[in-house]
Amino acid sequence: MITSRGAMILGTGHALPERILTNSDLEKIVDTSDQWIVERTGIRQRHVVTPGTPLSELVIRAAERALADAGVNAADIDLIVLGSVTGDMKFPATACLVQEAIGAKHAAAFDLSAACSGFLYSYQVASALLATGNFKHALVLGGDVLTSMVDWSDRDTCVLFGDGAGAAVLAPSDGKRGLIYGCMHSNGAHAKLLYNPGGGSLHPPTHESIDAKQHAIRMEGREVFRHAVTSMAEALQEVLQKSSLTLNEIDLLIPHQANLRIIEALGKRFAISSDKVFINVDRLGNTSAGSIPIALDEALKSGRIVPGSTVAMVTFGAGFTWAAAAIRF
Ligand code: UT7
């Protein structure tokens, strides 16, 4: 019998902007085609904010939905961890804005920067803090407004990303439900294969930095693709091995939703049947740290995860960072 020692999920929620940008909309602003985007990425549309909409708007909505789903009062949340790289401001942490907005008066709050791995990193950090006994309920959030740093004239990147956020309310495991095993990894040697150089202390904002488009996402897509498949496969293998789970015992795999071809390559390596793999990249594009918690909430609400389900999640993002987890519901 597998035991869960890490934090369990009491409730989830997510939030997406209403505005939808289709591939044919993109055809009008950049030299691309619906056919190329669908064939190379599987993406058909993405939700995008009205420019100037802050991340906190999405994250607060997701958090409120997760709290209602869990039946937990904001006043009983004592820890908020937000995985994101597109906070409202350089500081303070957007998690503090969430803390105030939802009325989590007793919560410590901080942001965690791990790009697309933000939610699985935050989950594991919150789980470890809950295990100290000093915290009773954690709100773990993942979300990004990557369109705020997209160069809309760069067809290599602008077709890939969407905006969105997800949330989960965590409590210490009851021994049956919760995190069975999780892993987190990084390799900064590849920092410049996927990054946003401008706006930090290295390149503070100047007219020159804007002209040089240093505030936009830069990515070597093919290299990132290769590393994503290899690293996610290794992390998933590690989780299966360390938790003594076979692939047959996994009811649903939730991979990071960056590119359908990456997901299919991962599925092929593990010979996992496609009905066990959750996919929403076609509707949402890559929502970065929002990807896993949005998918998780959709899977729960649509009944693809039920009490007793064992779910594996795996992700990869800038840093490079990557992470995986097996969770019993
Ligand atoms: O969240 C984690 C981080 N992100 C990822 O995991 C993304 C990983 N990478 C990818 O998903 C893929 O590498 C991309 C979707 C970004 C690109 O797909 P690819 O199959 O690796 O294409 P490519 O970069 O090798 O480009 C192939 C061709 C190039 O033209 P030439 O040089 O062969 O003439 C590109 O210029 O496709 C061209 N191209 C496009 N054509 C139409 C690149 N972007 C576009 C576009 N529309 N949007």
Side-chain angles (χ1 to χ4, degrees), residues 7 20 39 56 62 97 101 113 118-119 124 137 162 171 178 193 205 221 243 252 290 319:
I20 290 174
E39 280 177 11
S56 59
L97 308 181
S113 174
F119 181 78
Q124 294 183 59
H137 292 102
L193 292 180
S243 55
L252 187 68

Side-chain angles (χ1 to χ4, degrees), residues 32 36 40 116 155-156 194 221-222 256 259 261-262 286:
T32 190
W36 189 96
R40 306 311 291 168
C116 301
R155 70 175 185 175
D156 290 342
L194 176 53
R222 226 179 283 184
H256 173 45
N259 183 324
R261 285 162 52 225
I262 295 179
N286 181 352

Side-chain angles (χ1 to χ4, degrees), residues 31-33 36-37 40-41 116 155-156 159-161 194 219-225 228 256 258-259 261-262 286 288 316-318:
D31 179 19
T32 190
S33 67
W36 189 96
I37 302 171
R40 306 311 291 168
T41 71
C116 301
R155 70 175 185 175
D156 290 342
V159 302
L160 303 174
F161 303 110
L194 176 53
M219 180 172 72
E220 298 295 331
R222 226 179 283 184
E223 277 298 296
V224 176
F225 189 111
H256 173 45
N259 183 324
R261 285 162 52 225
I262 295 179
N286 181 352
S288 184
F316 179 86

